[in-house]
């Protein structure tokens, strides 16, 4: 594990964790001066990226983690995030939330609080929340979660100062977090208490705080995470005493109608209800009409009946503008390069250049480059700005949502639709020109 010195204290790399598209990379770039890919659709960051920043004379190392909705390892991104938080043992984990939909984001917060108590919650996109007339009581949120909460607008760098100082305070122990964990079904809580003592004996001394979370995973039987825990901490869950307790726990759960089919549902629903309660307490919608209008538009754009036709219409218009619109600049460029080529041929002729040199330089290199420019540049110059408008309107994530089911059948996700559209847009325009 790399550690960074902060004068009197040593801080391990600080992960920036959060749902997709909440501004992790934007915050990361603003803090470190790096250029991680940002954009208005989920899933741009696919691997961890590191960068440093100096605050009040202290060096901090941040890690931009791929966006994830949970730490339950349903995808590669979730596994990367989960492994970093579980086994990276960071001094502080920064969880970034989208201020416009805190409720959905709290799931990840509660899951992370099971693993580490050194957490700073950053409520980003406050400017967007303001536009949507949403107010958030950050102080109350902090009290309810039991960890510090800081509000930011990542595009305004100065709003990040408080975030930095809070991170340092948590990492140095100046602020001690006392997270309020979600309470599950009473029988599940009893089962966790039964397993925890055995797990505390089994886990390495510095990891005993993971006993509750590990107990949950054991009952859930999440194989990939359990084998990761065994491998990373060099332990085995085949311990006789632990297995006996696990059998006892399973019997108790079965006696209360909780089994493999509904255990995870019960966990998730407890988290969802807690998130809902917290949001009812801390989120104030100043204009119900505004939020209702957004919901109505969203419902239409993602509905089974209209979602796909609207998407085909939008993309069709963009492809049509790209293909027909690119013809004009393409012809101008091609005429210009043709004229230039003629002049260059005359020049080479006057200089008595050998025919093989004229062939290589003018008929070969110059002509190829000029064809590529006149055919490819205009469609790209039209298509990408149009695609950016769709991105800024927030329509790209809706396309990804609409196509997710179809793409899943091809063993991928709806997010790939956006890359496909980009490739398709440029290639279609290029083919038409050729
Ligand atoms: N208005 C506004 N936009 C923001 C803010 N923070 C980020 N954005 C925009 O939100 C979009 C998503 O930002 P990213 O930084 O790419 O989000 P991310 O969390 O890294 O996304 P993934 O890597 O896909 O998980 C970009 O278009 C950003 O410009 C903010 O505070 N206000
Ligand atoms: Mg990112």
């Amino acid at each position: 594990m790399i550690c960074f010195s902060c004068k009197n204290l040593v801080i391990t790399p600080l992960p920036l964790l959060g749902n997709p598209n909440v501004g992790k990379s934007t915050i990361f770039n603003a803090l470190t001066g790096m250029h991680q890919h940002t954009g208005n659709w989920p899933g741009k960051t696919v691997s961890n990226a590191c960068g440093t920043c100096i605050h009040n004379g202290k060096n901090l190392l941040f890690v931009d983690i791929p966006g994830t909705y949970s730490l339950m390892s349903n995808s590669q991104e979730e596994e990367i995030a989960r492994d970093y938080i579980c086994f990276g043992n960071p001094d502080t984990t920064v969880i970034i939330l989208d201020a416009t939909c805190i409720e959905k984001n709290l799931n990840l917060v509660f899951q992370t609080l099971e693993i580490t108590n050194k957490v700073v919650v950053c409520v980003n996109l406050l400017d967007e929340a303001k536009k949507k007339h949403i107010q958030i009581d950050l102080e109350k949120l902090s009290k309810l979660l039991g960890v510090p909460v800081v509000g930011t607008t990542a595009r305004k760098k100065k709003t990040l100062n408080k975030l930095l100082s809070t991170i340092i305070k948590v990492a140095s122990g100046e602020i001690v977090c006392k997270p309020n964990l979600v309470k599950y079904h009473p029988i599940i809580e009893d089962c966790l208490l039964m397993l925890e003592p055995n797990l505390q004996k089994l886990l390495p001394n510095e990891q005993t705080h993971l006993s509750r979370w590990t107990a949950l995973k054991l009952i859930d039987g999440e194989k990939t995470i359990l084998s990761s825990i065994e491998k990373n901490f060099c332990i085995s869950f085949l311990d006789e005493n632990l297995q006996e307790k696990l059998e006892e726990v399973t019997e108790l759960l079965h006696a209360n109608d909780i089994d493999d089919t509904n255990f995870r549902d019960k966990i998730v629903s407890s988290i969802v209800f807690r998130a809902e309660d917290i949001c009812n307490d801390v989120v104030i919608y100043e204009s119900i009409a505004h939020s209702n209008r957004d919901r109505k538009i969203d419902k239409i754009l993602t509905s089974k009946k209209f979602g796909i036709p609207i998407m085909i219409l939008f993309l069709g218009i963009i492809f049509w503008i790209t293909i027909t619109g690119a013809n004009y600049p393409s012809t101008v460029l091609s005429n210009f390069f043709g004229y230039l080529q003629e002049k260059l041929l005359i020049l080479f002729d006057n200089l008595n250049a050998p025919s093989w040199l004229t062939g290589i330089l003018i008929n070969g290199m110059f002509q190829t480059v000029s064809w590529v420019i006149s055919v490819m540049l205009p469609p790209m110059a039209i298509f990408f700005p149009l695609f950016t408008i769709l991105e800024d309107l927030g329509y790209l994530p809706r396309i990804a949502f609409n196509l997710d089911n179809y793409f899943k059948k091809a063993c991928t996700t709806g997010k790939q639709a956006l890359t496909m559209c980009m490739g398709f847009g440029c290639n279609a325009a290029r083919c038409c020109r050729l």
Side-chain angles (χ1 to χ4, degrees), residues 24-25 37 44-45 64:
K24 296 176 296 299
S25 300
H37 185 33
K44 299 159 297 288
T45 309
D64 184 18

Side-chain angles (χ1 to χ4, degrees), residues 328-374:
Y328 304 101
S330 248
T331 316
V332 172
L333 279 174
S334 152
N335 290 343
F336 170 71
F337 285 123
Y339 170 79
L340 215 57
Q341 190 173 350
E342 264 175 39
K343 295 289 169 202
L344 285 171
L345 282 173
I346 294 169
L347 179 72
F348 271 58
D349 204 26
N350 289 344
L351 292 172
N352 288 327
S355 60
W356 60 265
L357 187 64
T358 313
I360 290 178
L361 290 180
I362 310 297
N363 298 328
M365 287 165 75
F366 180 84
Q367 191 164 328
T368 311
V369 172
S370 59
W371 274 356
V372 170
I373 292 176
S374 49

Side-chain angles (χ1 to χ4, degrees), residues 16 19-26 28-29 36-39 41-47 64-67:
L16 300 177
N19 284 186
N21 224 20
V22 294
K24 296 176 296 299
S25 300
T26 311
F28 177 82
N29 290 344
Q36 273 289 94
H37 185 33
T38 63
W41 69 86
K44 299 159 297 288
T45 309
V46 288
S47 61
D64 184 18
I65 294 205

Side-chain angles (χ1 to χ4, degrees), residues 17-271:
L17 182 70
N19 284 186
N21 224 20
V22 294
K24 296 176 296 299
S25 300
T26 311
I27 292 184
F28 177 82
N29 290 344
L31 292 177
T32 62
M34 288 181 69
H35 299 285
Q36 273 289 94
H37 185 33
T38 63
N40 200 1
W41 69 86
K44 299 159 297 288
T45 309
V46 288
S47 61
N48 294 348
C50 295
T52 55
C53 130
I54 299 176
H55 182 70
N56 289 344
K58 295 182 167 73
N59 271 316
L60 303 172
L61 178 69
F62 285 98
V63 187
D64 184 18
I65 294 205
T68 175
Y69 290 105
S70 85
L71 299 177
M72 285 185 174
S73 80
N74 295 311
S75 67
Q76 206 185 354
E77 285 87 344
E78 287 180 7
E79 252 170 56
I80 294 176
R82 185 207 61 202
D83 285 352
Y84 198 90
I85 308 303
C86 299
F87 310 118
N89 216 5
D91 282 329
T92 308
T93 299
V94 186
I95 310 181
I96 297 158
L97 313 185
D98 178 347
T100 63
C101 53
I102 288 215
E103 190 177 327
K104 195 178 82 184
N105 292 205
L106 281 177
N107 175 29
L108 185 65
V109 177
F110 287 125
Q111 285 188 32
T112 313
L113 290 178
E114 302 264 4
I115 297 170
T116 169
N117 61 353
K118 289 198 146 191
V119 165
V120 173
V121 169
C122 163
V123 179
N124 189 38
L125 290 137
L126 280 182
D127 57 333
E128 287 296 320
K130 199 173 170 195
K131 269 190 219 159
K132 293 184 174 173
H133 306 277
I134 299 171
Q135 251 193 36
I136 294 152
D137 188 338
L138 298 176
E139 223 169 280
K140 203 168 189 186
L141 181 61
S142 170
K143 265 189 204 146
L144 291 170
L145 292 175
V147 296
V149 175
V150 183
T152 60
T153 297
R155 286 178 178 175
K156 293 180 193 155
K157 227 173 161 181
K158 62 176 191 295
T159 64
L160 300 175
N161 284 338
K162 192 174 174 203
L163 175 67
L164 282 171
S165 46
T166 312
I167 291 171
I168 292 175
K169 280 181 191 161
V170 171
S172 63
E174 199 180 324
I175 295 181
V176 180
C177 307
K178 290 188 182 132
N180 297 319
L181 300 181
V182 173
K183 290 269 170 275
Y184 301 117
H185 187 290
I187 298 298
I188 296 179
E189 286 293 335
D190 287 348
C191 292
L192 296 179
L193 285 178
M194 283 165 75
L195 284 172
E196 272 194 71
N198 287 64
L199 285 167
Q200 277 177 0
K201 276 185 212 152
L202 201 63
L203 287 163
N205 282 344
E206 65 282 10
Q207 306 294 348
T208 47
H209 64 279
L210 290 176
S211 58
R212 178 183 165 89
W213 175 70
T214 313
L216 263 179
K217 299 295 139 190
L218 262 180
I219 301 174
D220 197 10
E222 238 189 275
K223 285 200 180 82
T224 51
I225 180 65
L226 289 173
S227 63
S228 288
I229 297 174
E230 285 182 318
K231 214 163 71 192
N232 277 279
F233 298 148
C234 301
I235 58 170
S236 166
F237 291 124
L238 294 175
D239 177 83
E240 236 176 73
N241 294 335
L242 179 65
Q243 286 301 324
E244 265 176 34
K245 265 281 178 281
L246 196 55
E247 272 174 32
E248 238 180 86
V249 159
T250 315
E251 271 173 31
L252 180 62
L253 287 170
H254 284 178
N256 287 280
D257 294 328
I258 302 175
D259 55 26
D260 295 351
T261 56
N262 59 7
F263 177 77
R264 199 178 274 196
D265 287 349
K266 290 209 181 296
I267 297 293
V268 173
S269 51
S270 302
I271 294 178

